[in-house]
Amino acid sequence: MRDVDDAIDTDEVALPMAVHIEEFLTDLANANRPASTLRAYRGDLTACQCP
């Protein structure tokens, strides 16, 4: 049986970068930023080939 101290802290669960990018772009869209801004950010952020 697991101890309470062994419980997984959900704040430490890693999410794929794509999730964070989509959340950021959604925030920009909700702030009524121009479509050209969203396209530019999406292109820049998804062009990164980071591991």
Side-chain angles (χ1 to χ4, degrees):
M1 185 163 187
R2 292 177 64 168
D3 238 350
V4 173
D5 293 332
D6 293 337
I8 297 174
D9 185 358
T10 57
D11 292 338
E12 295 181 17
V13 174
L15 295 174
M17 183 59 77
V19 172
H20 297 290
I21 291 171
E22 287 304 316
E23 288 177 351
F24 174 70
L25 294 172
T26 298
D27 286 344
L28 288 178
N30 290 339
N32 295 319
R33 299 296 180 225
S36 58
T37 299
L38 297 174
R39 279 192 304 275
Y41 270 110
R42 182 181 304 281
D44 291 345
L45 294 172
T46 58
C48 177
Q49 297 299 316
C50 304

